[in-house]
Amino acid sequence: MSSAGRMPLASSFDPARTLVLATRNEHKVHELRQILGEVVDELGLTIIGAGQLSGAPDVAETEVTFEGNARLKAVALAEATGLPSVADDSGLAVEVLGGSPGVFSARWSGRFGGGDSAARGDRDRANLELLLDQVADVPPAHRQAAFVCAAVLAMPSGDVDVVTGRVTGALAYEPMGTNGFGYDPVFVPDGGSRSLAQYTVVEKNAISHRGRAFRAMVPPRPPRGADGVRLTGGVLTALPALSRTADPTEPPVTGSAAAAASEAA
């Protein structure tokens, strides 16, 4: 650590155009690069995972809302690295269960699913089986659910901004598809007949709660070639201080649903 308390950064990382994602999961880093593809290319941004910075903190998710957990992670990483940092927390909120699994989405089956020591795939299966058992007798008209994501951008200056994204749908009675993870095989987005696990990566990123949240960080941009209008500046140009929902027709999750839903991450 330096005297300022920040870990040394590799010389290849330009602090003005580097964004750190609070995860050690390279799949999630790749996913963010895909979601923000045009902006990454246009501004020359470099998106890295926390695992690429030696000593990046591991932050326990101890809050009871998506935003609270995402804020914890993003602020801690920005303070430790001196780089703009993004964290998200997300999960499934089932209406008939009062917004659960919620913040417990990734560990809904608890010790019966093997707990934190279980492999991700084993935990996913246990969580999914428990959820389906709990709603087995619920009729189609009452199987509404939503995937919800809160994404937080924390700047080294201390500025913190929050966006949310959500996709609504209903729970199927049995898993369908193999492309997704977590609760994807039983979640059918509104207006469709396929589960998210039957979507391609491109299709899923276009409508997913995480995709909507991260895209909400990007300001409206002028058409290419507009005279006199150019995007300039550092990371805030791409990920500005905007606290708004990803889709103005879908308000942020609040109250018991917000407190109940998190962590498919």
Side-chain angles (χ1 to χ4, degrees), residues 102-196:
V103 292
F104 307 107
S105 289
R107 51 189 186 275
W108 188 233
S109 57
R111 61 187 179 85
F112 298 104
D116 293 337
S117 62
R120 176 64 181 266
D122 293 337
R123 266 194 301 155
D124 281 354
R125 281 188 292 275
N127 291 337
L128 194 57
E129 289 173 2
L130 176 58
L131 178 67
L132 288 178
D133 284 346
Q134 291 170 322
V135 297
D137 297 327
V138 177
H142 300 290
R143 298 178 72 86
Q144 294 91 343
F147 271 124
V148 186
C149 174
V152 172
L153 169 67
M155 301 298 292
S157 64
D159 292 333
V160 176
D161 299 289
V162 184
V163 291
T164 61
R166 59 185 286 141
V167 56
T168 57
L171 297 180
Y173 282 90
E174 58 185 28
M176 301 183 295
T178 58
N179 292 336
F181 59 92
Y183 300 98
D184 286 354
V186 296
F187 185 84
V188 179
D190 284 341
S193 58
R194 293 178 296 161
S195 77
L196 280 182

Side-chain angles (χ1 to χ4, degrees), residues 19-33 35-36 47-50 59-63 65-77 84-92 102-103 105-107 120 147-154 160-166 181 204-205 208-217 239 261-265:
L19 185 69
V20 186
L21 184 60
T23 182
R24 299 180 188 279
N25 184 332
E26 281 303 308
H27 170 75
K28 291 189 68 175
V29 177
H30 179 67
E31 180 185 48
L32 180 56
R33 291 190 186 115
I35 290 171
L36 300 181
I47 297 177
I48 61 175
V59 181
E61 296 179 342
T62 56
E63 295 291 336
T65 64
F66 292 132
E67 179 181 333
N69 283 326
R71 185 183 293 266
L72 279 178
K73 295 184 290 185
V75 169
L77 192 58
S85 301
V86 169
D88 73 287
D89 194 29
S90 57
L92 181 69
V103 292
S105 289
R107 51 189 186 275
R120 176 64 181 266
F147 271 124
V148 186
C149 174
V152 172
L153 169 67
V160 176
D161 299 289
V162 184
V163 291
T164 61
R166 59 185 286 141
F181 59 92
K204 181 180 175 181
N205 285 345
S208 75
H209 52 308
R210 187 172 286 116
R212 288 177 173 179
F214 284 130
R215 282 192 296 272
M217 288 183 166
L239 302 172
S262 186
E263 202 189 346

